[in-house]
Structures are given as structure tokens and as C-alpha cells.
Amino acid sequence: MSEFIFKACGLAVTAAMLIALLKKWGADLAVFTKIAAGVVMAAVCVGAVAPFVGYVSELADLGNQGEILRAAEFMLRVLAVALITHVCANICRDCGETTLASYMELGGKIEIVLLSIPMVKEIISISVEML
């Protein structure tokens, strides 16, 4: 099992306990701690993508490098949009702006669909050629 999940869980539980303590002493400190913990957790999650990048490099050495690298670039972009959107939406929710968080998530979904259009076009053209 990956040690990433243990690090992430430990960090999240520690941050949650610290935030709970800080809420008793001052709500202002708790908000800043939430934001800082969110940024650190996002950095930890981005660091967990490193094995994926190594795997894609290995695949690129095996054969059709351009296609593999293009697919990997697409997946990394989608992952980045999803992570950024999720973090921003959670920050909006923590500030009490649930409607804004929902719109943020909608914007992220639209961006992922827009990123997918070139790949969908390519799949359709390959399908047409096969017929």
C-alpha cells in the first residue's frame, strides 16, 4: 500500500485537531490554519502524481512516444483542473459561500469537457477510418 495515503491522513487529522483547538481561542486563526492546511494537502497530492509521471516516461520509451505523451499531458491537465477546482470550492465552502463553490465546481467540469474535445475528435476520426 502506498505511504502517500498515510501521510495525507496523518496531516489531515493533525490539521483538523489544530483547527478545532484554534476555533476555541480565535476563529480568525482557525480560518488561516484551514487555508494553510489546504495548501499543504494540495502540495502533498501533487507530489503523489510523481510515480505517474515516471510510469508515463517508461511507456514513452517503449514505443509511440508522441501519442503516449499527449495522453499523459491530457490526464495531468485534467487532474490539475480537478484538484485546483476542488481546493477552491472547499475554500469557498469554508468561507460560507456554498453557491460560489457550486459554480466553481461547474466551471471545473466545463473546463474538463473543453479539454476533452480534441481527444474526442481524434477518437471519432479513428472510428470513422475503421468503418
Side-chain angles (χ1 to χ4, degrees):
M1 188 178 287
S2 173
E3 70 179 60
F4 157 73
I5 194 65
F6 294 115
K7 287 180 183 178
C9 288
L11 182 61
V13 169
T14 303
M17 291 188 313
L18 181 62
I19 290 166
L21 285 173
L22 289 175
K23 280 184 181 178
K24 292 181 181 181
W25 293 333
D28 295 340
L29 290 174
V31 171
F32 290 117
T33 305
K34 279 184 188 182
I35 293 171
V39 169
V40 171
M41 286 296 294
V44 167
C45 290
V46 168
V49 176
F52 172 74
V53 174
Y55 179 69
V56 169
S57 296
E58 289 176 21
L59 285 177
D61 291 339
L62 294 177
N64 194 353
Q65 294 179 358
E67 296 298 320
I68 292 172
L69 291 177
R70 219 171 70 212
E73 179 186 358
F74 167 74
M75 288 189 290
L76 285 174
R77 284 184 183 198
V78 168
L79 180 62
V81 169
L83 286 174
I84 291 168
T85 302
H86 186 71
V87 168
C88 290
N90 282 340
I91 290 171
C92 291
R93 278 191 197 90
D94 286 345
C95 294
E97 297 296 330
T98 55
T99 304
L100 190 59
S102 296
Y103 286 132
M104 184 71 218
E105 289 172 340
L106 177 64
K109 290 172 187 176
I110 291 170
E111 179 65 22
I112 289 172
V113 168
L114 291 174
L115 284 172
S116 302
I117 289 173
M119 192 163 281
V120 170
K121 282 182 179 179
E122 188 172 332
I123 291 170
I124 291 172
S125 69
I126 291 171
S127 300
V128 168
E129 286 177 17
M130 290 175 68
L131 294 174

